[in-house]
Amino acid sequence: MRALDLGGLGFERGAHLLVRRALSGLAPGEELAVAGTDPALTVHLAAWCRAEGHRFAPPEDPAATPVRGRIVRGRADLDRWAGAERAGAPAPGGVARRPDPRWGLAARGALVEPGGPPLGSDLADRDVVWADVAPRLYAHAASAQWDPAAAVPWDAEFDVPAEVERAVVQVMTYLVENEQAALVVPARLLARVHPHFREVMQLLAVQAADEARHVEVFTRRALLRGGEMGTSSAGGRASLATLLAEPDFSLASFLLSVLGEGAFLNLLSFLDRHAPDPVTRAAVRLARQDEARHVAFGVAHLEHRARLDPGLRGRLRGAVERRHDALRDTAGLNADVFDALVVLAAGEWTPAAVASGHRAVRRLREEMDEGRRHRLERLGFPPDEAAELSALHTRNFM
């Protein structure tokens, strides 16, 4: 028989930890003699054994021996974990293709006790949400976070003509509207992803945080000189509403990140080149580095899924066509936004400068089209089909 001496340690101060440790080395039916000087040890030991599923036998004459009781090891603690399984393995290589709903919120790699409530995540298939680059992108995103108050030189001195400032305000208003849509989409998807795919959840969470930060800096720049926000067109809002209406993870990622945010990379580069002040330039430059990461995940995810699902490209095409048909009768890009972009690119109010600004905006549209076609070809579309689908993309850019 094994023995354990607790000295003066009582159960109210952690004695159960030593008892449990001593029992872990015994097989069911083997005995452990427990000695100790705490006055309540026998009472507490008996109660603990009943709760833990062990049998307790008090000594016949406690005064004649230091032993306060004998424990016959039970098997309740062992039976509790019968049928338990590991929830995959912690590293990305240990991701299960379809995690058991009964794993619930268990950490990946944890030993999961049977009997817990299932988790109702409908995005619970690795191939539906995964991209091998997700862990690296999340690590980069976590290290690249920036503070809007410190990263943008809000106190910089600059002199911008009133008409140009109004153009900046209009573009910022447009950016806020689009970034709010880009915030809602990953936030909605995040709530549906099984937590087993934690790197995807983390990346979507950072993406939503990125967009929230963009909304903040673009709003703050719009109001920097004390004016009012610009205009919001019905057609622009209708275009963004179609993004919110797409329930499929891959199609939503395609429409938002690959096509919409991909076009925004070109727009933010345009604004970086033509920004009339250091505050605007810093804001769009910081936002662009975040958006590039969003586009990278969207493309990587769709490349991953396209390798496994030959029918994906047909569904992607269908999503573009449905969105085009839904927006057929809308005006597209807010005319105030188009004019504001021309003003920013012109830089001055001369016929030659306005003509140059207009050419720059036309070139921006061409660059957006080139970028979309390039990304569509990466997803396996032949060049002619990529060009056709790019031409169907909303005139609202996003």
Side-chain angles (χ1 to χ4, degrees):
M1 179 189 303
R2 292 195 184 181
L4 171 66
D5 190 345
L6 295 173
L9 184 66
F11 267 68
E12 75 283 2
R13 290 183 292 147
H16 67 286
L17 295 174
L18 296 179
V19 175
R20 182 176 290 133
R21 179 172 180 269
L23 288 172
S24 68
L26 302 181
E30 292 185 326
E31 294 188 7
L32 175 70
V34 181
T37 59
D38 182 79
L41 179 58
T42 301
V43 173
H44 290 167
L45 194 57
W48 183 84
C49 286
R50 286 195 299 273
E52 295 291 314
H54 306 295
R55 184 161 56 86
F56 177 73
E60 295 181 359
D61 185 2
T65 176
V67 175
R68 308 298 294 277
R70 292 178 295 105
I71 302 174
V72 180
R73 200 216 195 284
R75 59 174 306 111
D77 59 331
L78 302 175
D79 291 341
R80 173 187 173 186
W81 296 99
E85 60 179 343
R86 292 282 174 187
V95 173
R97 182 180 177 188
R98 291 191 178 91
D100 193 321
R102 293 171 297 181
W103 292 354
L105 296 170
R108 197 166 71 220
L111 183 63
V112 181
E113 179 185 7
L119 189 65
S121 300
D122 64 300
L123 296 177
D125 187 318
R126 182 184 189 274
D127 295 338
V128 170
V129 301
W130 191 254
D132 289 336
V133 75
R136 295 195 301 277
L137 283 178
Y138 171 68
H140 176 269
S143 66
Q145 295 301 291
W146 46 273
D147 179 2
V152 179
W154 300 108
D155 296 331
E157 295 184 4
F158 60 87
D159 184 20
V160 172
E163 297 93 337
V164 176
E165 177 65 17
R166 282 196 291 272
V168 172
V169 170
Q170 180 58 63
V171 172
M172 292 297 117
T173 302
Y174 166 78
L175 292 178
V176 168
E177 186 172 274
N178 284 264
E179 297 290 51
Q180 288 181 157
L183 189 162
V184 171
V185 172
R188 285 182 171 179
L189 296 175
L190 167 63
R192 297 168 51 201
V193 174
H194 195 293
H196 183 76
F197 310 116
R198 67 167 187 267
E199 293 87 353
V200 175
M201 288 185 64
Q202 290 165 329
L203 200 53
L204 291 173
V206 174
Q207 185 171 336
D210 289 342
E211 306 297 5
R213 194 167 55 241
H214 300 171
V215 169
E216 176 186 346
V217 296
F218 293 149
T219 300
R220 186 168 173 178
R221 173 59 189 94
L223 302 177
L224 188 61
R225 290 301 172 91
E228 296 181 324
M229 300 293 283
T231 63
S232 170
S233 69
R237 297 196 307 279
S239 177
L240 296 175
T242 60
L243 294 176
L244 308 187
E246 178 53 66
D248 183 271
F249 184 92
S250 295
L251 300 187
S253 299
F254 174 64
L255 295 176
L256 173 65
S257 297
V258 177
L259 298 182
E261 290 179 309
F264 259 55
L265 293 179
N266 299 108
L267 176 59
L268 293 171
S269 293
F270 174 93
L271 295 173
D272 185 5
R273 290 193 300 273
H274 299 291
D277 62 89
V279 176
T280 300
R281 181 170 294 107
V284 298
R285 190 171 291 174
L286 288 164
R288 191 185 187 283
Q289 73 181 26
D290 294 336
E291 298 294 351
R293 191 169 53 246
H294 306 168
V295 175
F297 174 68
V299 172
H301 162 68
L302 289 163
E303 286 179 321
H304 167 83
R305 189 145 192 213
R307 287 193 297 269
L308 302 172
D309 181 3
L312 176 66
R313 279 182 284 273
R315 295 199 299 278
L316 297 179
R317 180 185 181 93
V320 173
E321 292 173 342
R322 286 193 303 275
R323 191 177 186 211
H324 176 266
D325 291 343
L327 300 173
R328 186 185 300 275
D329 298 325
T330 63
L333 183 67
N334 184 348
D336 293 338
V337 176
F338 182 91
D339 291 346
L341 293 173
V342 172
V343 170
L344 291 180
E348 59 182 64
W349 292 94
T350 64
V354 171
S356 176
H358 200 277
R359 285 194 300 273
V361 176
R362 287 205 311 270
R363 178 56 187 158
L364 169 63
R365 290 180 179 271
E366 292 170 0
E367 291 171 353
M368 289 179 170
D369 177 61
E370 290 169 5
R372 285 194 298 269
R373 287 190 282 111
H374 172 71
R375 287 185 290 276
L376 287 165
E377 289 177 26
R378 278 191 59 180
L379 298 181
F381 288 98
D384 58 340
E385 190 174 1
E388 179 187 354
L389 291 178
S390 179
L392 294 178
H393 183 63
T394 172
R395 291 165 289 177
N396 190 50
F397 297 166
M398 178 67 82

